[in-house]
Amino acid sequence: MNLRDVAEKVGSSAPTVRRAIVEAGVALRPKGRQAAPSSEPWPEDDEFQGATPDR
């Protein structure tokens, strides 16, 4: 649930709910969309041998 949904359910405003959550020490997610994690595995060191940067 987002803050607006919680506020509606408890009969309060989103800023009041946010303040209460933060005062309780709960970490909130950052605003906006988050980038999806890459499904590609991280390349091994030997794959970089002899590589030159693209310019």
PDB file of all heavy atoms in Angstrom, residues 1-7 29:
ATOM      1  N   MET A   1       0.844  -1.184   0.000  1.00  0.00           N
ATOM      2  CA  MET A   1       0.000   0.000   0.000  1.00  0.00           C
ATOM      3  C   MET A   1       0.887   1.244   0.000  1.00  0.00           C
ATOM      4  O   MET A   1       1.938   1.256   0.612  1.00  0.00           O
ATOM      5  CB  MET A   1      -0.882   0.026   1.250  1.00  0.00           C
ATOM      6  CG  MET A   1      -1.927  -1.067   1.307  1.00  0.00           C
ATOM      7  SD  MET A   1      -2.865  -1.081   2.849  1.00  0.00           S
ATOM      8  CE  MET A   1      -3.901   0.320   2.630  1.00  0.00           C
ATOM      9  N   ASN A   2       0.424   2.273  -0.676  1.00  0.00           N
ATOM     10  CA  ASN A   2       1.158   3.518  -0.634  1.00  0.00           C
ATOM     11  C   ASN A   2       0.622   4.384   0.507  1.00  0.00           C
ATOM     12  O   ASN A   2      -0.369   4.036   1.167  1.00  0.00           O
ATOM     13  CB  ASN A   2       1.112   4.238  -1.985  1.00  0.00           C
ATOM     14  CG  ASN A   2      -0.297   4.607  -2.406  1.00  0.00           C
ATOM     15  OD1 ASN A   2      -1.149   4.906  -1.582  1.00  0.00           O
ATOM     16  ND2 ASN A   2      -0.536   4.588  -3.698  1.00  0.00           N
ATOM     17  N   LEU A   3       1.297   5.502   0.766  1.00  0.00           N
ATOM     18  CA  LEU A   3       0.897   6.367   1.884  1.00  0.00           C
ATOM     19  C   LEU A   3      -0.544   6.858   1.744  1.00  0.00           C
ATOM     20  O   LEU A   3      -1.277   6.935   2.736  1.00  0.00           O
ATOM     21  CB  LEU A   3       1.843   7.565   1.987  1.00  0.00           C
ATOM     22  CG  LEU A   3       3.263   7.260   2.425  1.00  0.00           C
ATOM     23  CD1 LEU A   3       4.118   8.517   2.363  1.00  0.00           C
ATOM     24  CD2 LEU A   3       3.287   6.658   3.808  1.00  0.00           C
ATOM     25  N   ARG A   4      -0.948   7.170   0.534  1.00  0.00           N
ATOM     26  CA  ARG A   4      -2.307   7.659   0.308  1.00  0.00           C
ATOM     27  C   ARG A   4      -3.334   6.589   0.668  1.00  0.00           C
ATOM     28  O   ARG A   4      -4.361   6.882   1.294  1.00  0.00           O
ATOM     29  CB  ARG A   4      -2.452   8.076  -1.149  1.00  0.00           C
ATOM     30  CG  ARG A   4      -3.630   8.966  -1.409  1.00  0.00           C
ATOM     31  CD  ARG A   4      -3.656   9.498  -2.835  1.00  0.00           C
ATOM     32  NE  ARG A   4      -2.333   9.863  -3.304  1.00  0.00           N
ATOM     33  CZ  ARG A   4      -1.871   9.605  -4.511  1.00  0.00           C
ATOM     34  NH1 ARG A   4      -2.615   9.001  -5.403  1.00  0.00           N
ATOM     35  NH2 ARG A   4      -0.656   9.955  -4.869  1.00  0.00           N
ATOM     36  N   ASP A   5      -3.065   5.340   0.295  1.00  0.00           N
ATOM     37  CA  ASP A   5      -3.979   4.236   0.613  1.00  0.00           C
ATOM     38  C   ASP A   5      -4.074   4.021   2.124  1.00  0.00           C
ATOM     39  O   ASP A   5      -5.159   3.820   2.669  1.00  0.00           O
ATOM     40  CB  ASP A   5      -3.527   2.943  -0.054  1.00  0.00           C
ATOM     41  CG  ASP A   5      -3.630   2.981  -1.568  1.00  0.00           C
ATOM     42  OD1 ASP A   5      -4.393   3.807  -2.103  1.00  0.00           O
ATOM     43  OD2 ASP A   5      -2.920   2.176  -2.210  1.00  0.00           O
ATOM     44  N   VAL A   6      -2.931   4.059   2.794  1.00  0.00           N
ATOM     45  CA  VAL A   6      -2.925   3.893   4.254  1.00  0.00           C
ATOM     46  C   VAL A   6      -3.692   5.030   4.906  1.00  0.00           C
ATOM     47  O   VAL A   6      -4.515   4.810   5.810  1.00  0.00           O
ATOM     48  CB  VAL A   6      -1.477   3.828   4.796  1.00  0.00           C
ATOM     49  CG1 VAL A   6      -1.474   3.806   6.316  1.00  0.00           C
ATOM     50  CG2 VAL A   6      -0.754   2.613   4.236  1.00  0.00           C
ATOM     51  N   ALA A   7      -3.447   6.257   4.463  1.00  0.00           N
ATOM     52  CA  ALA A   7      -4.123   7.425   5.033  1.00  0.00           C
ATOM     53  C   ALA A   7      -5.638   7.308   4.897  1.00  0.00           C
ATOM     54  O   ALA A   7      -6.386   7.579   5.843  1.00  0.00           O
ATOM     55  CB  ALA A   7      -3.623   8.693   4.363  1.00  0.00           C
ATOM     56  N   ARG A  29      10.819   3.844   1.034  1.00  0.00           N
ATOM     57  CA  ARG A  29      11.465   3.721  -0.273  1.00  0.00           C
ATOM     58  C   ARG A  29      11.567   5.106  -0.901  1.00  0.00           C
ATOM     59  O   ARG A  29      10.731   5.971  -0.650  1.00  0.00           O
ATOM     60  CB  ARG A  29      10.643   2.831  -1.202  1.00  0.00           C
ATOM     61  CG  ARG A  29      10.618   1.388  -0.782  1.00  0.00           C
ATOM     62  CD  ARG A  29       9.839   0.579  -1.770  1.00  0.00           C
ATOM     63  NE  ARG A  29       8.448   1.040  -1.779  1.00  0.00           N
ATOM     64  CZ  ARG A  29       7.446   0.367  -2.297  1.00  0.00           C
ATOM     65  NH1 ARG A  29       7.661  -0.783  -2.876  1.00  0.00           N
ATOM     66  NH2 ARG A  29       6.228   0.830  -2.255  1.00  0.00           N
TER      67      ARG A  29
END
